[in-house]
mmCIF file of all heavy atoms in Angstrom:
data_model
loop_
_atom_site.group_PDB
_atom_site.id
_atom_site.type_symbol
_atom_site.label_atom_id
_atom_site.label_comp_id
_atom_site.label_asym_id
_atom_site.label_seq_id
_atom_site.Cartn_x
_atom_site.Cartn_y
_atom_site.Cartn_z
ATOM 1 N N ALA X 690 112.664 50.909 175.092
ATOM 2 C CA ALA X 690 111.303 50.695 174.727
ATOM 3 C C ALA X 690 110.609 52.032 174.347
ATOM 4 O O ALA X 690 110.985 53.122 174.869
ATOM 5 C CB ALA X 690 110.536 50.075 175.894
ATOM 6 N N ASP X 691 109.641 51.958 173.443
ATOM 7 C CA ASP X 691 108.772 53.112 173.126
ATOM 8 C C ASP X 691 107.661 53.135 174.108
ATOM 9 O O ASP X 691 106.713 52.334 174.033
ATOM 10 C CB ASP X 691 108.283 53.023 171.732
ATOM 11 C CG ASP X 691 107.398 54.209 171.287
ATOM 12 O OD1 ASP X 691 107.348 55.204 172.082
ATOM 13 O OD2 ASP X 691 106.754 54.150 170.216
ATOM 14 N N VAL X 692 107.799 53.955 175.119
ATOM 15 C CA VAL X 692 106.789 53.959 176.247
ATOM 16 C C VAL X 692 105.877 55.154 176.107
ATOM 17 O O VAL X 692 106.321 56.318 176.040
ATOM 18 C CB VAL X 692 107.501 54.002 177.634
ATOM 19 C CG1 VAL X 692 106.493 54.105 178.770
ATOM 20 C CG2 VAL X 692 108.444 52.816 177.773
ATOM 21 N N VAL X 693 104.567 54.910 176.059
ATOM 22 C CA VAL X 693 103.555 55.953 175.966
ATOM 23 C C VAL X 693 102.789 55.957 177.295
ATOM 24 O O VAL X 693 102.260 54.918 177.668
ATOM 25 C CB VAL X 693 102.576 55.675 174.768
ATOM 26 C CG1 VAL X 693 101.430 56.648 174.833
ATOM 27 C CG2 VAL X 693 103.360 55.762 173.475
ATOM 28 N N ARG X 694 102.774 57.073 177.907
ATOM 29 C CA ARG X 694 102.121 57.212 179.194
ATOM 30 C C ARG X 694 100.695 57.824 178.941
ATOM 31 O O ARG X 694 100.613 58.939 178.381
ATOM 32 C CB ARG X 694 102.893 58.121 180.138
ATOM 33 C CG ARG X 694 102.207 58.470 181.429
ATOM 34 C CD ARG X 694 103.132 59.417 182.256
ATOM 35 N NE ARG X 694 102.441 59.978 183.389
ATOM 36 C CZ ARG X 694 102.416 59.471 184.580
ATOM 37 N NH1 ARG X 694 103.079 58.295 184.808
ATOM 38 N NH2 ARG X 694 101.780 60.026 185.562
ATOM 39 N N ILE X 695 99.675 57.139 179.295
ATOM 40 C CA ILE X 695 98.303 57.667 179.176
ATOM 41 C C ILE X 695 97.949 58.253 180.494
ATOM 42 O O ILE X 695 97.958 57.635 181.568
ATOM 43 C CB ILE X 695 97.279 56.528 178.812
ATOM 44 C CG1 ILE X 695 97.631 55.944 177.455
ATOM 45 C CG2 ILE X 695 95.852 57.096 178.856
ATOM 46 C CD1 ILE X 695 96.747 54.764 177.046
ATOM 47 N N GLU X 696 97.586 59.576 180.504
ATOM 48 C CA GLU X 696 97.207 60.257 181.743
ATOM 49 C C GLU X 696 96.087 61.230 181.536
ATOM 50 O O GLU X 696 95.729 61.511 180.415
ATOM 51 C CB GLU X 696 98.457 60.990 182.292
ATOM 52 C CG GLU X 696 99.187 61.889 181.306
ATOM 53 C CD GLU X 696 100.515 62.359 181.897
ATOM 54 O OE1 GLU X 696 100.660 62.490 183.078
ATOM 55 O OE2 GLU X 696 101.451 62.530 181.045
ATOM 56 N N ARG X 697 95.547 61.630 182.659
ATOM 57 C CA ARG X 697 94.389 62.558 182.557
ATOM 58 C C ARG X 697 94.843 63.921 181.973
ATOM 59 O O ARG X 697 96.030 64.336 182.240
ATOM 60 C CB ARG X 697 93.855 62.792 183.991
ATOM 61 C CG ARG X 697 93.199 61.612 184.636
ATOM 62 C CD ARG X 697 92.487 61.959 185.956
ATOM 63 N NE ARG X 697 93.387 62.650 186.873
ATOM 64 C CZ ARG X 697 94.144 62.028 187.728
ATOM 65 N NH1 ARG X 697 94.111 60.677 187.780
ATOM 66 N NH2 ARG X 697 94.934 62.686 188.522
ATOM 67 N N PRO X 698 94.017 64.561 181.250
ATOM 68 C CA PRO X 698 94.399 65.900 180.637
ATOM 69 C C PRO X 698 94.809 66.874 181.708
ATOM 70 O O PRO X 698 95.647 67.757 181.411
ATOM 71 C CB PRO X 698 93.091 66.325 179.959
ATOM 72 C CG PRO X 698 92.386 65.058 179.627
ATOM 73 C CD PRO X 698 92.655 64.094 180.813
ATOM 74 N N ASP X 699 94.280 66.796 182.926
ATOM 75 C CA ASP X 699 94.589 67.768 183.977
ATOM 76 C C ASP X 699 95.554 67.242 184.992
ATOM 77 O O ASP X 699 95.655 67.735 186.102
ATOM 78 C CB ASP X 699 93.287 68.233 184.698
ATOM 79 C CG ASP X 699 92.555 67.044 185.315
ATOM 80 O OD1 ASP X 699 92.920 65.919 185.089
ATOM 81 O OD2 ASP X 699 91.660 67.300 186.136
ATOM 82 N N ASN X 700 96.268 66.184 184.654
ATOM 83 C CA ASN X 700 97.197 65.529 185.567
ATOM 84 C C ASN X 700 98.352 66.438 185.995
ATOM 85 O O ASN X 700 99.051 66.987 185.171
ATOM 86 C CB ASN X 700 97.757 64.228 184.984
ATOM 87 C CG ASN X 700 98.467 63.407 186.030
ATOM 88 O OD1 ASN X 700 98.091 63.374 187.196
ATOM 89 N ND2 ASN X 700 99.504 62.697 185.587
ATOM 90 N N VAL X 701 98.505 66.607 187.323
ATOM 91 C CA VAL X 701 99.577 67.447 187.852
ATOM 92 C C VAL X 701 100.168 66.717 189.052
ATOM 93 O O VAL X 701 99.483 66.266 189.933
ATOM 94 C CB VAL X 701 99.089 68.831 188.246
ATOM 95 C CG1 VAL X 701 100.235 69.625 188.926
ATOM 96 C CG2 VAL X 701 98.520 69.590 187.104
ATOM 97 N N ASN X 702 101.501 66.611 189.067
ATOM 98 C CA ASN X 702 102.167 66.056 190.257
ATOM 99 C C ASN X 702 102.462 67.154 191.257
ATOM 100 O O ASN X 702 103.151 68.092 190.971
ATOM 101 C CB ASN X 702 103.538 65.443 189.799
ATOM 102 C CG ASN X 702 104.239 64.730 190.935
ATOM 103 O OD1 ASN X 702 104.042 65.030 192.124
ATOM 104 N ND2 ASN X 702 105.048 63.726 190.595
ATOM 105 N N PRO X 703 101.836 67.104 192.417
ATOM 106 C CA PRO X 703 101.969 68.231 193.399
ATOM 107 C C PRO X 703 103.320 68.241 194.090
ATOM 108 O O PRO X 703 103.627 69.219 194.798
ATOM 109 C CB PRO X 703 100.859 67.924 194.442
ATOM 110 C CG PRO X 703 100.717 66.439 194.384
ATOM 111 C CD PRO X 703 100.940 66.034 192.964
ATOM 112 N N PHE X 704 104.168 67.221 193.908
ATOM 113 C CA PHE X 704 105.388 67.156 194.637
ATOM 114 C C PHE X 704 106.595 67.625 193.861
ATOM 115 O O PHE X 704 107.631 67.895 194.432
ATOM 116 C CB PHE X 704 105.645 65.652 195.094
ATOM 117 C CG PHE X 704 104.553 65.150 195.934
ATOM 118 C CD1 PHE X 704 103.647 64.190 195.455
ATOM 119 C CD2 PHE X 704 104.343 65.604 197.216
ATOM 120 C CE1 PHE X 704 102.643 63.640 196.230
ATOM 121 C CE2 PHE X 704 103.338 65.078 198.037
ATOM 122 C CZ PHE X 704 102.459 64.104 197.483
ATOM 123 N N VAL X 705 106.484 67.690 192.522
ATOM 124 C CA VAL X 705 107.658 68.055 191.703
ATOM 125 C C VAL X 705 107.213 68.678 190.405
ATOM 126 O O VAL X 705 106.217 68.287 189.818
ATOM 127 C CB VAL X 705 108.544 66.814 191.478
ATOM 128 C CG1 VAL X 705 107.810 65.791 190.618
ATOM 129 C CG2 VAL X 705 109.824 67.192 190.753
ATOM 130 N N PRO X 706 107.905 69.734 189.923
ATOM 131 C CA PRO X 706 107.538 70.325 188.659
ATOM 132 C C PRO X 706 107.719 69.296 187.532
ATOM 133 O O PRO X 706 108.576 68.413 187.594
ATOM 134 C CB PRO X 706 108.582 71.470 188.475
ATOM 135 C CG PRO X 706 109.053 71.790 189.845
ATOM 136 C CD PRO X 706 109.006 70.481 190.573
ATOM 137 N N TRP X 707 106.900 69.401 186.491
ATOM 138 C CA TRP X 707 106.877 68.362 185.462
ATOM 139 C C TRP X 707 108.251 68.155 184.813
ATOM 140 O O TRP X 707 108.618 67.000 184.486
ATOM 141 C CB TRP X 707 105.853 68.697 184.365
ATOM 142 C CG TRP X 707 106.189 69.968 183.565
ATOM 143 C CD1 TRP X 707 105.807 71.228 183.831
ATOM 144 C CD2 TRP X 707 106.982 69.979 182.398
ATOM 145 N NE1 TRP X 707 106.282 72.069 182.879
ATOM 146 C CE2 TRP X 707 107.002 71.333 181.978
ATOM 147 C CE3 TRP X 707 107.654 69.031 181.599
ATOM 148 C CZ2 TRP X 707 107.753 71.781 180.843
ATOM 149 C CZ3 TRP X 707 108.356 69.457 180.502
ATOM 150 C CH2 TRP X 707 108.371 70.822 180.124
ATOM 151 N N GLN X 708 109.061 69.240 184.679
ATOM 152 C CA GLN X 708 110.333 69.065 184.006
ATOM 153 C C GLN X 708 111.377 68.385 184.872
ATOM 154 O O GLN X 708 112.398 67.907 184.365
ATOM 155 C CB GLN X 708 110.922 70.492 183.561
ATOM 156 C CG GLN X 708 111.179 71.384 184.686
ATOM 157 C CD GLN X 708 109.979 72.332 184.991
ATOM 158 O OE1 GLN X 708 108.848 71.950 184.789
ATOM 159 N NE2 GLN X 708 110.257 73.544 185.369
ATOM 160 N N ASN X 709 111.100 68.201 186.152
ATOM 161 C CA ASN X 709 111.965 67.481 187.054
ATOM 162 C C ASN X 709 111.399 66.109 187.485
ATOM 163 O O ASN X 709 111.955 65.439 188.348
ATOM 164 C CB ASN X 709 112.302 68.265 188.307
ATOM 165 C CG ASN X 709 113.008 69.575 187.952
ATOM 166 O OD1 ASN X 709 112.518 70.637 188.287
ATOM 167 N ND2 ASN X 709 114.146 69.475 187.369
ATOM 168 N N GLU X 710 110.301 65.714 186.889
ATOM 169 C CA GLU X 710 109.662 64.399 187.161
ATOM 170 C C GLU X 710 110.441 63.318 186.374
ATOM 171 O O GLU X 710 109.947 62.832 185.364
ATOM 172 C CB GLU X 710 108.212 64.462 186.834
ATOM 173 C CG GLU X 710 107.430 63.314 187.454
ATOM 174 C CD GLU X 710 105.930 63.466 187.320
ATOM 175 O OE1 GLU X 710 105.454 64.485 186.801
ATOM 176 O OE2 GLU X 710 105.216 62.574 187.744
ATOM 177 N N LEU X 711 111.621 62.998 186.898
ATOM 178 C CA LEU X 711 112.501 62.156 186.105
ATOM 179 C C LEU X 711 111.982 60.747 185.822
ATOM 180 O O LEU X 711 112.447 60.107 184.942
ATOM 181 C CB LEU X 711 113.866 62.057 186.815
ATOM 182 C CG LEU X 711 114.646 63.372 186.994
ATOM 183 C CD1 LEU X 711 115.946 63.162 187.679
ATOM 184 C CD2 LEU X 711 114.830 64.038 185.596
ATOM 185 N N LEU X 712 111.032 60.296 186.608
ATOM 186 C CA LEU X 712 110.443 58.999 186.355
ATOM 187 C C LEU X 712 109.669 58.981 185.035
ATOM 188 O O LEU X 712 109.382 57.943 184.473
ATOM 189 C CB LEU X 712 109.491 58.565 187.489
ATOM 190 C CG LEU X 712 110.132 58.323 188.847
ATOM 191 C CD1 LEU X 712 109.075 57.892 189.859
ATOM 192 C CD2 LEU X 712 111.218 57.231 188.712
ATOM 193 N N ASN X 713 109.444 60.173 184.460
ATOM 194 C CA ASN X 713 108.737 60.265 183.170
ATOM 195 C C ASN X 713 109.721 60.477 182.029
ATOM 196 O O ASN X 713 109.278 60.653 180.855
ATOM 197 C CB ASN X 713 107.712 61.370 183.150
ATOM 198 C CG ASN X 713 106.468 60.990 183.929
ATOM 199 O OD1 ASN X 713 106.141 59.828 184.134
ATOM 200 N ND2 ASN X 713 105.714 61.997 184.371
ATOM 201 N N ARG X 714 111.000 60.422 182.276
ATOM 202 C CA ARG X 714 111.961 60.608 181.174
ATOM 203 C C ARG X 714 111.852 59.476 180.184
ATOM 204 O O ARG X 714 111.546 58.334 180.530
ATOM 205 C CB ARG X 714 113.380 60.701 181.708
ATOM 206 C CG ARG X 714 113.948 59.364 182.193
ATOM 207 C CD ARG X 714 115.301 59.577 182.834
ATOM 208 N NE ARG X 714 116.007 58.304 183.118
ATOM 209 C CZ ARG X 714 117.111 58.166 183.837
ATOM 210 N NH1 ARG X 714 117.655 59.279 184.391
ATOM 211 N NH2 ARG X 714 117.596 56.968 184.050
ATOM 212 N N GLY X 715 112.047 59.839 178.904
ATOM 213 C CA GLY X 715 112.011 58.842 177.879
ATOM 214 C C GLY X 715 110.663 58.412 177.376
ATOM 215 O O GLY X 715 110.526 57.653 176.430
ATOM 216 N N LYS X 716 109.601 58.950 178.066
ATOM 217 C CA LYS X 716 108.241 58.560 177.702
ATOM 218 C C LYS X 716 107.594 59.627 176.850
ATOM 219 O O LYS X 716 107.893 60.824 176.996
ATOM 220 C CB LYS X 716 107.425 58.305 178.964
ATOM 221 C CG LYS X 716 108.030 57.304 179.951
ATOM 222 C CD LYS X 716 107.133 57.304 181.222
ATOM 223 C CE LYS X 716 107.796 56.446 182.353
ATOM 224 N NZ LYS X 716 106.970 56.479 183.539
ATOM 225 N N ARG X 717 106.599 59.227 176.093
ATOM 226 C CA ARG X 717 105.700 60.204 175.462
ATOM 227 C C ARG X 717 104.366 60.181 176.217
ATOM 228 O O ARG X 717 103.956 59.183 176.768
ATOM 229 C CB ARG X 717 105.508 59.839 173.995
ATOM 230 C CG ARG X 717 106.742 60.035 173.167
ATOM 231 C CD ARG X 717 106.487 59.896 171.699
ATOM 232 N NE ARG X 717 106.249 58.512 171.291
ATOM 233 C CZ ARG X 717 105.986 58.146 170.028
ATOM 234 N NH1 ARG X 717 105.923 59.062 169.072
ATOM 235 N NH2 ARG X 717 105.806 56.882 169.728
ATOM 236 N N SER X 718 103.713 61.353 176.254
ATOM 237 C CA SER X 718 102.541 61.482 177.081
ATOM 238 C C SER X 718 101.282 61.735 176.174
ATOM 239 O O SER X 718 101.333 62.633 175.291
ATOM 240 C CB SER X 718 102.643 62.664 178.044
ATOM 241 O OG SER X 718 101.452 62.931 178.694
ATOM 242 N N VAL X 719 100.252 60.949 176.404
ATOM 243 C CA VAL X 719 98.999 61.101 175.714
ATOM 244 C C VAL X 719 97.953 61.375 176.769
ATOM 245 O O VAL X 719 97.801 60.607 177.724
ATOM 246 C CB VAL X 719 98.660 59.823 174.954
ATOM 247 C CG1 VAL X 719 97.223 59.904 174.407
ATOM 248 C CG2 VAL X 719 99.658 59.617 173.764
ATOM 249 N N ALA X 720 97.231 62.460 176.556
ATOM 250 C CA ALA X 720 96.121 62.827 177.487
ATOM 251 C C ALA X 720 94.788 62.272 176.985
ATOM 252 O O ALA X 720 94.343 62.599 175.924
ATOM 253 C CB ALA X 720 96.061 64.329 177.634
ATOM 254 N N LEU X 721 94.199 61.384 177.802
ATOM 255 C CA LEU X 721 92.914 60.794 177.471
ATOM 256 C C LEU X 721 92.072 60.696 178.749
ATOM 257 O O LEU X 721 92.541 60.417 179.845
ATOM 258 C CB LEU X 721 93.087 59.343 176.960
ATOM 259 C CG LEU X 721 93.848 59.216 175.595
ATOM 260 C CD1 LEU X 721 93.967 57.686 175.308
ATOM 261 C CD2 LEU X 721 93.126 59.911 174.484
#
């Protein structure tokens, strides 16, 4: 699927660096 994740512009996961946030693999991110 072409999955687009809409998230806050300042969204940060405090538990894992973004490059290791594997639940976001395969998705594109749009900040709104």
Side-chain angles (χ1 to χ4, degrees):
D691 180 10
V692 178
V693 173
R694 175 181 169 91
I695 297 176
E696 51 192 327
R697 295 188 303 273
D699 60 349
N700 190 33
V701 176
N702 186 334
F704 302 109
V705 63
W707 66 268
Q708 62 268 33
N709 298 120
E710 196 171 356
L711 297 182
L712 294 181
N713 283 340
R714 72 185 189 190
K716 306 174 186 177
R717 292 189 287 179
S718 173
V719 170
L721 296 175

